[in-house]
Each structure stands twice: as C-alpha cells, then as structure tokens.
Amino acid sequence: EERDLGAISRYTISFPVEGSYARIKRFIYELETLKYPLVVEEIIFSRSKSAEGTIELKIKLSAYFV
C-alpha cells in the first residue's frame, strides 16, 4: 500500500516470518536499528504448526520517503 502524505510518502508491506524465538528477536532488532525511516506497525505472533520450537508471525512495516 502506498500513500501520499504531502511531502512524505509511505509504503506499507505485510509478510509472514517463521523461526526460533532467538532468530525472530534478532530479525526485529535488525529492522528497528536500520538507518532508514522504517516503522514496525504491527506484529501478530502464533506458535508454528509445522515445527517444534518455532514461532510464526505476521509483520507489517511502513517505510517513509521524502
């Protein structure tokens, strides 16, 4: 989804992620510490049905551009 906010544009994307708790935690940390204006809008967690010890999440991100 792309929205025009005047001089700033926002691009939003949602996607699934699956992995161990440690890997998911590291992935979110990497997203939050990027040097680009990226916002984690939403995270929905659930237990993985496919593998023991993994979790699934759906993540929604927004990037802002001038």
Side-chain angles (χ1 to χ4, degrees):
E1 169 188 347
E2 189 173 347
R3 298 177 90 182
D4 184 10
L5 305 172
I8 300 173
S9 293
R10 180 177 79 174
Y11 181 76
T12 302
I13 184 170
S14 297
F15 55 93
V17 178
E18 183 176 344
S20 68
Y21 175 77
R23 287 183 177 243
I24 296 289
K25 184 178 172 182
R26 179 67 181 185
F27 174 72
I28 293 170
Y29 170 79
E30 295 291 335
L31 289 175
E32 291 181 327
T33 57
L34 286 172
K35 60 182 175 181
Y36 305 104
L38 185 69
V39 177
V40 177
E41 299 280 351
E42 181 177 67
I43 299 176
I44 302 171
F45 287 94
S46 64
R47 289 187 183 195
S48 176
K49 298 170 186 75
S50 62
E52 185 70 30
T54 62
I55 58 174
E56 296 176 347
L57 65 90
K58 183 176 180 183
I59 190 163
K60 180 179 178 182
L61 304 173
S62 291
Y64 293 86
F65 303 94
V66 180

